[in-house]
């Protein structure tokens, strides 16, 4: 039951991350290969870093063709939707809001799944490692995407991002390991991360900065 729920959650998160990366590339008017690369990096980057940290080789992205094909299909859909829309920036279409939503979904799913993978790898007694792996899984792909997109990674500058991943990953760990409620921990961890991320975007929450400027 739990494995099936994680599979469905990861499918949703993967496609959401792939869409966010592909949309950012489409807004820069990259070609189809560039859109595919940014979409795939966003979808799988965090998971690859996670697997390498845990010594899982080859990384899961190279052994699960379903995820690879779904991410590729998502990138193609984004490309075609932009290609046939008549213009890159459609009138009345706020792509940043859509990207933020997709990004928040992927962040929530993979922050939680990263903790789960660490626990399954035998690190349930190490909360620092488990939560760190979860956070890295959630933010890793987005950081690589932003660097390739010639931007400062969102995790370092925009509305509360890594903090949302930390809270979601920690909540999942506490509920799954300490309270022994993994089935309830999954939706709670994802919902907490998603809600905090979207609230931070809506209300423009930021962590303290040394200078009072945008």
């Amino acid at each position: 039951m739990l494995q099936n729920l994680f599979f469905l959650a990861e499918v949703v998160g993967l496609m959401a991350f792939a869409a966010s990366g592909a949309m950012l590339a489409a807004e820069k008017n990259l070609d189809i290969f560039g859109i595919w690369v940014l979409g795939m990096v966003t979808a799988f980057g965090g998971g690859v870093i996670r697997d390498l940290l845990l010594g899982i080789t080859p990384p899961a992205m190279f052994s699960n063709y379903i995820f690879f094909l779904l991410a590729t299909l998502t990138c193609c859909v984004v490309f075609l939707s932009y290609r046939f829309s008549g213009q890159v920036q459609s009138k009345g279409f706020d792509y940043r809001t859509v990207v933020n939503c997709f990004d928040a979904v992927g962040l929530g799913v993979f922050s939680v799944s990263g903790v789960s993978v660490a626990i399954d790898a035998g690190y349930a007694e190490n909360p620092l490692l488990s939560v760190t792996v979860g956070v890295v899984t959630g933010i890793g792909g987005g950081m690589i995407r932003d660097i390739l997109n010639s931007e400062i990674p969102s995790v370092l500058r925009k509305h509360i991002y890594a903090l949302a991943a930390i809270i979601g990953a920690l909540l999942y760990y506490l509920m799954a390991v300490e309270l022994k409620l993994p089935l309830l921990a999954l939706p709670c961890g994802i919902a907490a991360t998603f809600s905090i991320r979207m609230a931070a975007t809506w209300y423009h929450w930021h962590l303290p900065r040394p200078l009072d400027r945008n």
Side-chain angles (χ1 to χ4, degrees), residues 18-28 35 78 82 93 95 98-99 102:
S20 72
M23 288 179 69
L24 286 174
E27 288 294 325
K28 292 291 183 73
I35 291 173
V78 171
Y82 272 77
F93 176 66
Y95 89 95
V98 178
V99 168
F102 284 142

Side-chain angles (χ1 to χ4, degrees), residues 8-93:
L8 291 175
E10 288 184 344
V11 166
V12 173
L14 184 85
M15 296 178 72
F17 261 165
S20 72
M23 288 179 69
L24 286 174
E27 288 294 325
K28 292 291 183 73
N29 204 25
L30 302 187
D31 61 23
I32 187 171
F33 181 73
I35 291 173
W36 179 78
V37 167
L38 255 66
M40 299 299 277
V41 161
T42 309
F44 292 107
V48 170
I49 297 172
R50 172 203 66 204
D51 291 345
L52 294 178
L53 285 174
L54 296 175
I56 301 173
T57 55
M61 73 166 289
F62 298 108
S63 58
N64 195 325
Y65 298 115
I66 294 177
F67 285 166
F68 193 90
L69 290 174
L70 285 174
T72 297
L73 177 62
T74 302
C75 294
C76 290
V77 170
V78 171
F79 171 79
L80 291 173
S81 66
Y82 272 77
R83 177 74 174 177
F84 294 108
S85 67
Q87 54 185 347
V88 173
Q89 184 70 43
S90 300
K91 184 177 180 181
F93 176 66

Side-chain angles (χ1 to χ4, degrees), residues 1-3 5-6 112 116 119-120 171-190:
M1 177 65 173
L2 184 60
Q3 286 185 334
L5 288 176
F6 262 110
V112 165
S116 178
I119 292 172
D120 291 342
L171 178 62
Y172 176 82
Y173 178 86
L174 292 174
M175 294 184 69
V177 177
E178 301 298 334
L179 300 180
K180 310 297 183 184
L181 297 171
L183 282 176
L184 186 60
L186 174 61
C188 287
I190 294 173

